[in-house]
Amino acid sequence: MNEIEIKAHVKNRNLLIEKLNKIAQYQGSVVKNDKYYGKKLPDGTFDRKKIRLREEIFQDNQNKTQYLLTYKRKEIFTSTEGISTEVNDEKECTISSAEPVLAFLADWGYEVALEKHKEVMSWKYENATLELCNVFPLGDFLEIEILSPSADNETVEKCQEQIKSILEKLEISQNQIENRYYSQLLEEYKINHSGEEYV
């Protein structure tokens, strides 16, 4: 399945929640703890191909926990109007325990390349998922995601039009869209706040 999504910086969290409740159906809240595993290169950096292990703790369901194993092929698609969206070919499955996966990754030389903590409130609007995410230590973002079996140009452009319409309903300007990946933002934060603990 393909994810066609954007994320935008949120200026006023409480005001956005009010707007989301007016147009969309609240789905619940979840804490997402992500660890990205990769192979370290000779220069100390990590190979771009990484696998993600996510722990999801559902806040509205007695803190029920599940684990997701995910691999994504990512690219950025920019529309003729200049709207950039992530188009991700996502391969994902639910696993009952993280322990076997962690043992496998360790034995094959994979290390934790990146950690990410997201506190998420989720809404459904038509065929789109809207998530208000607090990504520590980066702040608040609105993620709009549409799932599609196809990622051809025509499909992506239609999804971009829908995303643009949702942004307008929520009064979020296109200049609030963040085109960098969270991994890039976290790496930049780490560099700019060297010596500080952030995960």
Side-chain angles (χ1 to χ4, degrees):
M1 189 62 73
N2 297 284
E3 295 177 332
I4 299 161
E5 65 179 346
I6 62 98
K7 59 180 172 290
H9 292 272
V10 172
K11 296 178 179 178
N12 187 322
R13 178 185 181 88
N14 292 332
L15 181 59
L16 180 58
I17 290 172
E18 289 180 18
K19 293 176 181 177
L20 285 164
N21 283 331
K22 287 179 181 176
I23 71 163
Q25 183 178 0
Y26 180 66
Q27 300 291 297
S29 59
V30 60
V31 173
K32 300 180 181 183
N33 294 311
D34 295 344
K35 288 187 178 180
Y36 293 80
Y37 291 83
K39 291 233 176 177
K40 192 170 278 189
L41 301 174
D43 65 0
T45 62
F46 282 88
D47 187 279
R48 289 183 60 196
K49 296 179 181 177
K50 299 180 183 69
I51 193 165
R52 183 184 74 197
L53 182 62
R54 168 172 286 174
E55 175 191 53
E56 291 190 331
I57 306 168
F58 295 91
Q59 304 295 288
D60 304 313
N61 192 7
Q62 299 180 336
N63 286 335
K64 173 190 171 185
T65 301
Q66 75 173 11
Y67 297 93
L68 297 172
L69 188 65
T70 308
Y71 178 71
K72 291 185 182 184
R73 299 185 181 106
K74 297 183 174 185
E75 62 178 303
I76 298 291
F77 185 96
T78 303
S79 72
T80 54
E81 295 184 3
I83 299 175
S84 295
T85 52
E86 292 183 28
V87 180
N88 302 320
D89 176 16
E90 181 180 77
K91 312 298 183 187
E92 185 171 78
C93 64
T94 304
I95 56 176
S96 58
S97 171
E99 191 174 343
V101 174
L102 293 176
F104 171 84
L105 292 172
D107 286 352
W108 283 88
Y110 284 80
E111 300 178 39
V112 176
L114 177 70
E115 295 184 52
K116 183 174 69 191
H117 176 82
K118 293 169 70 174
E119 296 178 2
V120 180
M121 298 175 69
S122 181
W123 286 261
K124 196 73 176 175
Y125 178 77
E126 296 177 348
N127 63 327
T129 299
L130 315 179
E131 292 187 337
L132 175 56
C133 305
N134 181 265
V135 183
F136 183 80
L138 303 175
D140 291 324
F141 296 84
L142 175 68
E143 297 181 15
I144 303 176
E145 175 189 277
I146 299 171
L147 296 179
S148 171
S150 173
D152 61 82
N153 287 358
E154 183 179 355
T155 300
V156 174
E157 286 178 357
K158 285 181 179 178
C159 291
Q160 287 179 322
E161 282 299 313
Q162 184 181 356
I163 289 170
K164 179 183 175 185
S165 174
I166 294 170
L167 289 172
E168 288 173 352
K169 288 179 186 296
L170 296 171
E171 298 178 293
I172 293 176
S173 65
Q174 291 184 35
N175 64 17
Q176 290 173 242
I177 295 175
E178 176 56 69
N179 294 323
R180 292 167 293 177
Y181 297 119
Y182 283 128
S183 58
Q184 294 172 295
L185 295 174
L186 288 168
E187 284 300 325
E188 288 176 18
Y189 185 94
K190 187 176 180 180
I191 291 168
N192 294 331
H193 298 79
S194 179
E196 296 180 21
E197 289 291 329
Y198 72 101
V199 292

Short mmCIF file of all heavy atoms in Angstrom, two decimals, residues 113-134:
data_model
loop_
_atom_site.label_atom_id
_atom_site.label_comp_id
_atom_site.label_asym_id
_atom_site.label_seq_id
_atom_site.Cartn_x
_atom_site.Cartn_y
_atom_site.Cartn_z
N ALA A 113 19.82 3.43 14.65
CA ALA A 113 20.32 4.62 13.98
C ALA A 113 19.58 5.87 14.42
O ALA A 113 20.13 6.98 14.37
CB ALA A 113 20.19 4.46 12.47
N LEU A 114 18.33 5.70 14.86
CA LEU A 114 17.50 6.85 15.19
C LEU A 114 16.35 6.40 16.08
O LEU A 114 15.81 5.30 15.90
CB LEU A 114 16.93 7.47 13.90
CG LEU A 114 15.97 8.66 14.06
CD1 LEU A 114 16.73 9.88 14.54
CD2 LEU A 114 15.26 8.95 12.74
N GLU A 115 15.97 7.26 17.04
CA GLU A 115 14.79 7.03 17.86
C GLU A 115 13.85 8.21 17.74
O GLU A 115 14.30 9.35 17.59
CB GLU A 115 15.18 6.82 19.33
CG GLU A 115 16.02 5.57 19.57
CD GLU A 115 16.29 5.34 21.05
OE1 GLU A 115 15.32 5.33 21.83
OE2 GLU A 115 17.47 5.17 21.40
N LYS A 116 12.55 7.92 17.78
CA LYS A 116 11.55 8.98 17.63
C LYS A 116 10.37 8.68 18.56
O LYS A 116 9.90 7.55 18.63
CB LYS A 116 11.08 9.06 16.18
CG LYS A 116 10.09 10.18 15.89
CD LYS A 116 9.81 10.26 14.39
CE LYS A 116 9.03 9.06 13.92
NZ LYS A 116 8.94 8.94 12.47
N HIS A 117 9.93 9.71 19.26
CA HIS A 117 8.79 9.59 20.18
C HIS A 117 7.69 10.53 19.72
O HIS A 117 7.90 11.74 19.60
CB HIS A 117 9.23 9.95 21.61
CG HIS A 117 8.11 9.95 22.61
ND1 HIS A 117 7.64 8.79 23.20
CD2 HIS A 117 7.37 10.96 23.11
CE1 HIS A 117 6.65 9.10 24.02
NE2 HIS A 117 6.46 10.41 23.99
N LYS A 118 6.51 9.96 19.44
CA LYS A 118 5.37 10.75 18.95
C LYS A 118 4.16 10.51 19.86
O LYS A 118 3.83 9.35 20.14
CB LYS A 118 4.98 10.35 17.52
CG LYS A 118 5.99 10.69 16.48
CD LYS A 118 5.66 10.03 15.13
CE LYS A 118 4.47 10.61 14.46
NZ LYS A 118 4.28 10.04 13.09
N GLU A 119 3.52 11.59 20.28
CA GLU A 119 2.26 11.48 20.99
C GLU A 119 1.18 11.98 20.03
O GLU A 119 1.21 13.13 19.59
CB GLU A 119 2.30 12.30 22.28
CG GLU A 119 3.34 11.75 23.25
CD GLU A 119 3.46 12.55 24.53
OE1 GLU A 119 2.70 13.53 24.70
OE2 GLU A 119 4.32 12.19 25.36
N VAL A 120 0.24 11.10 19.69
CA VAL A 120 -0.63 11.31 18.53
C VAL A 120 -2.11 11.30 18.92
O VAL A 120 -2.57 10.42 19.64
CB VAL A 120 -0.37 10.20 17.48
CG1 VAL A 120 -1.28 10.40 16.27
CG2 VAL A 120 1.10 10.17 17.08
N MET A 121 -2.83 12.29 18.41
CA MET A 121 -4.29 12.30 18.44
C MET A 121 -4.74 12.14 16.99
O MET A 121 -4.21 12.82 16.10
CB MET A 121 -4.83 13.60 19.03
CG MET A 121 -4.43 13.85 20.47
SD MET A 121 -4.99 15.49 21.05
CE MET A 121 -6.78 15.24 21.09
N SER A 122 -5.70 11.25 16.75
CA SER A 122 -6.05 10.89 15.38
C SER A 122 -7.52 11.17 15.08
O SER A 122 -8.40 10.95 15.92
CB SER A 122 -5.75 9.40 15.17
OG SER A 122 -6.05 9.02 13.85
N TRP A 123 -7.77 11.64 13.83
CA TRP A 123 -9.12 11.88 13.32
C TRP A 123 -9.23 11.24 11.94
O TRP A 123 -8.23 11.03 11.25
CB TRP A 123 -9.40 13.37 13.17
CG TRP A 123 -9.64 14.12 14.44
CD1 TRP A 123 -10.83 14.48 14.99
CD2 TRP A 123 -8.64 14.65 15.33
NE1 TRP A 123 -10.65 15.18 16.16
CE2 TRP A 123 -9.31 15.31 16.39
CE3 TRP A 123 -7.24 14.63 15.33
CZ2 TRP A 123 -8.64 15.94 17.43
CZ3 TRP A 123 -6.57 15.24 16.37
CH2 TRP A 123 -7.26 15.88 17.41
N LYS A 124 -10.48 10.94 11.53
CA LYS A 124 -10.76 10.44 10.19
C LYS A 124 -11.62 11.46 9.46
O LYS A 124 -12.63 11.93 9.97
CB LYS A 124 -11.49 9.10 10.26
CG LYS A 124 -11.48 8.33 8.96
CD LYS A 124 -10.10 7.75 8.69
CE LYS A 124 -10.10 6.90 7.42
NZ LYS A 124 -8.76 6.43 7.08
N TYR A 125 -11.20 11.82 8.23
CA TYR A 125 -11.97 12.73 7.39
C TYR A 125 -12.04 12.13 6.00
O TYR A 125 -11.02 12.03 5.31
CB TYR A 125 -11.32 14.11 7.34
CG TYR A 125 -12.04 15.09 6.45
CD1 TYR A 125 -13.22 15.71 6.87
CD2 TYR A 125 -11.56 15.37 5.17
CE1 TYR A 125 -13.89 16.59 6.04
CE2 TYR A 125 -12.23 16.26 4.35
CZ TYR A 125 -13.40 16.86 4.79
OH TYR A 125 -14.07 17.73 3.96
N GLU A 126 -13.24 11.66 5.62
CA GLU A 126 -13.42 10.95 4.35
C GLU A 126 -12.42 9.79 4.29
O GLU A 126 -12.40 8.95 5.18
CB GLU A 126 -13.29 11.93 3.18
CG GLU A 126 -14.39 13.00 3.19
CD GLU A 126 -14.26 14.02 2.07
OE1 GLU A 126 -13.20 14.08 1.41
OE2 GLU A 126 -15.24 14.77 1.85
N ASN A 127 -11.55 9.75 3.28
CA ASN A 127 -10.58 8.65 3.19
C ASN A 127 -9.20 9.04 3.71
O ASN A 127 -8.22 8.34 3.47
CB ASN A 127 -10.46 8.19 1.73
CG ASN A 127 -9.93 9.28 0.83
OD1 ASN A 127 -10.19 10.45 1.04
ND2 ASN A 127 -9.18 8.89 -0.20
N ALA A 128 -9.13 10.15 4.42
CA ALA A 128 -7.84 10.64 4.93
C ALA A 128 -7.75 10.47 6.45
O ALA A 128 -8.74 10.61 7.16
CB ALA A 128 -7.65 12.11 4.57
N THR A 129 -6.56 10.16 6.91
CA THR A 129 -6.27 10.14 8.34
C THR A 129 -5.54 11.42 8.70
O THR A 129 -4.56 11.80 8.04
CB THR A 129 -5.39 8.93 8.70
OG1 THR A 129 -6.08 7.72 8.36
CG2 THR A 129 -5.07 8.91 10.19
N LEU A 130 -6.04 12.11 9.73
CA LEU A 130 -5.44 13.35 10.20
C LEU A 130 -4.88 13.10 11.59
O LEU A 130 -5.62 12.71 12.49
CB LEU A 130 -6.48 14.48 10.24
CG LEU A 130 -7.41 14.62 9.02
CD1 LEU A 130 -8.39 15.76 9.24
CD2 LEU A 130 -6.61 14.84 7.75
N GLU A 131 -3.60 13.34 11.77
CA GLU A 131 -2.96 13.08 13.06
C GLU A 131 -2.26 14.34 13.56
O GLU A 131 -1.42 14.90 12.86
CB GLU A 131 -1.95 11.94 12.94
CG GLU A 131 -2.60 10.59 12.68
CD GLU A 131 -1.61 9.44 12.73
OE1 GLU A 131 -0.39 9.66 12.54
OE2 GLU A 131 -2.06 8.31 12.97
N LEU A 132 -2.64 14.73 14.76
CA LEU A 132 -1.94 15.82 15.44
C LEU A 132 -0.85 15.17 16.28
O LEU A 132 -1.14 14.43 17.23
CB LEU A 132 -2.91 16.61 16.31
CG LEU A 132 -2.31 17.71 17.19
CD1 LEU A 132 -1.50 18.70 16.36
CD2 LEU A 132 -3.39 18.42 17.98
N CYS A 133 0.39 15.44 15.92
CA CYS A 133 1.52 14.73 16.52
C CYS A 133 2.43 15.70 17.27
O CYS A 133 2.85 16.71 16.70
CB CYS A 133 2.36 14.04 15.43
SG CYS A 133 1.44 12.94 14.37
N ASN A 134 2.74 15.36 18.50
CA ASN A 134 3.81 16.04 19.19
C ASN A 134 5.04 15.16 19.08
O ASN A 134 5.06 14.03 19.60
CB ASN A 134 3.48 16.30 20.67
CG ASN A 134 4.61 17.05 21.36
OD1 ASN A 134 5.47 16.45 21.98
ND2 ASN A 134 4.61 18.36 21.23
#
